[in-house]
Amino acid sequence: MKVLNLLMRLVMLVFWVGIAYALLGPGIEEAGSMPMILGGVVLVMHLLQMLMLRQVASLLHPSARDYLEVLVFGSFAMHHHRTRLKALTEQQKR
């Protein structure tokens, strides 16, 4: 599972580099509006995931790096936080 998570983080990193290159690179006219649409949709989803992390911040105490990872990698960075939250809620039930 860890290898798959790391692989998907790499895919997300390549995605963001591709979006940045399409928007800032020399062929922006050829790229059209698709990179902005795709990047915008993914960015909104990752911002929503950051808000979810913010809701449980009193329990998990995330750092600025945690928020940045969620912004870049989305659900692939949230896996660690979900595991921690599940463990904490199980401890509170006992």
Side-chain angles (χ1 to χ4, degrees), residues 3 5 13 15 17 31 54-55 63 74 76 79 85 92-93:
V3 174
N5 194 331
L13 199 56
F15 171 80
V17 168
R54 180 80 173 130
Q55 286 181 336
S63 65
F76 305 114
H79 179 72
L85 185 61
Q92 289 178 352
K93 286 180 182 178

Side-chain angles (χ1 to χ4, degrees), residues 5-20:
N5 194 331
L6 288 174
L7 181 64
M8 293 312 294
R9 283 180 180 226
L10 179 64
V11 168
M12 284 305 303
L13 199 56
V14 169
F15 171 80
W16 285 120
V17 168
I19 294 293

Side-chain angles (χ1 to χ4, degrees), residues 32-80:
S33 61
M34 188 58 75
M36 283 202 298
I37 293 169
L38 291 175
V41 168
V42 172
L43 183 63
V44 167
M45 289 173 24
H46 289 188
L47 287 171
L48 290 173
Q49 289 172 343
M50 284 178 63
L51 288 174
M52 286 188 272
L53 184 60
R54 180 80 173 130
Q55 286 181 336
V56 293
S58 61
L59 295 172
L60 298 178
H61 308 292
S63 65
R65 180 178 180 215
D66 292 330
Y67 285 111
L68 182 61
E69 283 183 355
V70 171
L71 182 63
V72 174
F73 302 115
S75 62
F76 305 114
M78 288 289 286
H79 179 72
H80 170 69

